[in-house]
Amino acid sequence: MHMSAQGGPVDSAPVDRRGPGAADAAACATRAELLDAFARYLGLQRGLSAHTVRAYLGDLADLLTFLGVGEADGEPVGPALDSLELSDLRAWLATMSADGAARATLARRSAACRTFSTWAHRNGMLAADVAARLRSPRADGRLPSVLTPAQATALLDAAADAVATAGAADDDAAETTRAPALRDRAILEALYATGVRVSELCALDLGDVDATRRTMRVLGKGNKERTVPYGGPAAVALEDWLAVRGAVAASDAGAAVFLGARGHRIGPRAVREIVHRAAARAGVPDLGPHGLRHSAATHVLSGGADLRSVQELLGHASLATTQRYTHVSAERLRAVYAQAFPRA
């Protein structure tokens, strides 16, 4: 309380110390309301990427089903949350582990549990932060298979051959026919030349590409911006694609660099399909956009780049993440050692 102007005590209004989201939490009686409020918290207050928000929402939805909450939007969640204990979360993760879920998936779901539990407890939906002592399984440090430099060259050469066979360069009518092949080649070259994530590639706008300096400005995890360089082959592929982009762009395509089949900004799923098709056409091991990212990092390290530079290129928050690539380049280290050490 505080004193009034006349000297008498005046009761202070109660202060809600639960933090942002408390109003949302008060209305979280059903499955749909809980998921919507959690989504707003993740996107607006935590600033997580759309991909991470979708993943965490899927994890929470799966947990609710495991706890016996029906899948209809109007199903009440109160009884399940009132009785939620750490042992329930451990049982949920154990069930997925027994079903063969990867350690990386289990680690992400553990993180989703901890984030939800902290938020729900802070906003009065849980009596305690039940996931505070929930441990994540150690993530698998192995990297997916990568292409050799020769295989990467074969992949990109096959993409260039596809452009050559798609139509005559001087035929105006062939522009729309050649456009998908030109786009696919530019996507493959950009992914391999820069090592960007597929989400970063899809989010590129025309103003993010500096053709003069051969750099791209990308927005990575945690809304961290970085500038990555690209080389001559990628520059040619991008120039060729951008020359025909206007012919296939929808009226509301905006400034998106890469467009999908209907002329709008391309999505990650379409890019993954492009990479898989290109790998099959080139006769190289199947991989997705993340495999090209790993290949680029491995080849840059094998070429002599230092870890800090590769960390900056890839947008890793921790150098420990980048260090996973060092074992892939062990063959090069042995070769250098044999050449340089007199008693090798």
Side-chain angles (χ1 to χ4, degrees):
M1 71 176 54
H2 65 272
M3 303 298 293
S4 70
Q6 288 75 28
V10 176
D11 289 337
S12 300
V15 178
D16 189 345
R17 302 185 183 279
R18 294 176 295 171
D24 281 340
C28 293
T30 67
R31 169 189 279 262
E33 291 167 348
L34 180 65
L35 291 172
D36 287 346
F38 190 47
R40 286 192 292 273
Y41 165 71
L42 295 175
L44 299 179
Q45 296 177 34
R46 288 288 301 274
L48 300 182
S49 70
H51 176 77
T52 302
V53 171
R54 283 194 301 271
Y56 277 27
L57 288 179
D59 295 338
L60 177 56
D62 190 79
L63 173 62
L64 292 174
T65 300
F66 178 81
L67 296 174
V69 177
E71 297 188 3
D73 288 346
E75 287 291 324
V77 296
L81 296 182
D82 289 343
S83 62
L84 182 62
E85 297 180 351
L86 177 60
S87 58
D88 297 320
L89 302 179
R90 288 173 173 165
W92 177 57
L93 293 172
T95 299
M96 287 184 289
S97 179
D99 289 340
R103 279 186 287 177
T105 299
L106 296 175
R108 191 207 67 226
R109 292 201 155 191
S110 298
C113 276
R114 289 192 296 273
T115 301
F116 169 72
S117 177
T118 300
W119 170 76
H121 173 54
R122 183 181 301 139
N123 291 295
M125 287 177 283
L126 292 176
D129 187 353
V130 295
R133 294 186 294 114
L134 183 66
R135 290 186 177 183
S136 294
R138 185 180 297 274
D140 193 340
R142 294 175 299 173
L143 294 170
S145 59
V146 299
L147 299 180
T148 66
Q151 290 170 337
T153 298
L155 177 73
L156 299 172
D157 285 348
D161 291 342
V163 171
T165 58
D170 59 350
D171 184 353
D172 292 339
E175 274 197 355
T176 54
T177 303
R178 297 176 67 243
L182 289 168
R183 178 206 60 196
D184 293 357
R185 182 181 63 152
I187 284 174
L188 293 166
E189 288 279 6
L191 286 171
Y192 180 64
T194 64
V196 296
R197 301 177 178 92
V198 63
S199 58
E200 296 169 346
L201 179 99
C202 294
L204 279 175
D205 286 335
L206 295 172
D208 295 327
V209 180
D210 187 335
T212 302
R213 298 175 59 197
R214 289 184 182 174
T215 59
M216 292 179 184
R217 183 175 64 243
V218 297
L219 194 63
K221 290 185 176 180
N223 289 327
K224 293 181 180 178
E225 185 180 288
R226 70 185 189 280
T227 300
V228 294
Y230 58 88
V236 172
L238 282 167
E239 182 180 357
D240 290 347
W241 156 243
L242 292 177
V244 302
R245 174 192 173 280
V248 295
S251 59
D252 57 349
V257 171
F258 294 110
L259 309 175
R262 298 185 179 182
H264 302 100
R265 186 183 297 275
I266 200 167
R269 179 177 296 180
V271 174
R272 292 188 185 97
E273 292 174 355
I274 288 169
V275 177
H276 287 306
R277 285 200 306 266
R281 185 170 56 243
V284 301
D286 185 38
L287 80 171
H290 215 59
L292 274 182
R293 173 175 162 87
H294 289 311
S295 299
T298 302
H299 299 166
V300 168
L301 270 175
S302 297
D306 62 274
L307 275 174
R308 288 288 182 188
S309 297
V310 178
Q311 178 189 12
E312 180 66 24
L313 178 71
L314 297 179
H316 287 157
S318 169
L319 188 63
T321 305
T322 314
Q323 284 177 324
R324 296 184 304 159
Y325 294 95
T326 56
H327 78 277
V328 184
S329 300
E331 182 178 344
R332 175 183 177 274
L333 177 60
R334 286 192 294 269
V336 171
Y337 178 83
Q339 183 179 9
F341 190 56
R343 296 183 65 84

